[in-house]
Amino acid sequence: MVIVGTLLLWISCYFSYLSSNKQQLISYSISKTVAWSGFVIAVVLATSLFTSQYGFIVAMLITMLLVMAMWLTLVIISAYANYRSVLVFSLGVSVFSGIFLLGVN
């Protein structure tokens, strides 16, 4: 369930980034209301999925840490990958899923 929560957070951070007017991954920005409402729903769902493995406070801290790391990663990667949105999306999926897969016993 932790992997599913991580993927939900990555997708929500990715679409919230694509709603910005300053992004350079696609030629037009998507609707802010759709992206940010989806972001809030995905954060709540991911936090509830993390609570199946961790406590509630720890799940909230993991969610906050992942969102900050994902937005930072998006900003840094998109500076070098202009108009390559599929590359950035797949790189984020592999990196953040790999982080949790390394911690599995």
Side-chain angles (χ1 to χ4, degrees):
M1 285 304 183
V2 176
I3 300 293
V4 175
T6 305
L7 292 177
L8 266 173
L9 282 178
W10 175 252
I11 291 168
S12 65
C13 288
Y14 183 73
F15 283 119
S16 68
Y17 179 77
L18 289 180
S19 70
S20 171
N21 294 333
K22 305 281 185 186
Q23 57 88 18
Q24 295 292 319
L25 293 178
I26 56 176
S27 59
Y28 59 91
S29 61
I30 61 175
S31 171
K32 288 186 185 294
T33 56
V34 171
W36 284 103
S37 61
F39 176 79
V40 170
I41 291 169
V43 165
V44 169
L45 285 174
T47 304
S48 67
L49 288 173
F50 289 151
T51 56
S52 69
Q53 184 82 20
Y54 308 106
F56 183 69
I57 301 296
V58 175
M60 287 183 1
L61 290 172
I62 289 172
T63 302
M64 184 178 65
L65 174 83
L66 280 174
V67 167
M68 290 188 303
M70 287 174 182
W71 276 340
L72 181 65
T73 304
L74 275 169
V75 169
I76 291 171
I77 292 174
S78 67
Y80 297 103
N82 291 339
Y83 300 106
R84 294 183 185 159
S85 60
V86 175
L87 173 70
V88 172
F89 182 77
S90 61
L91 183 66
V93 166
S94 63
V95 166
F96 288 104
S97 297
I99 288 171
F100 278 102
L101 287 175
L102 286 174
V104 173
N105 294 330

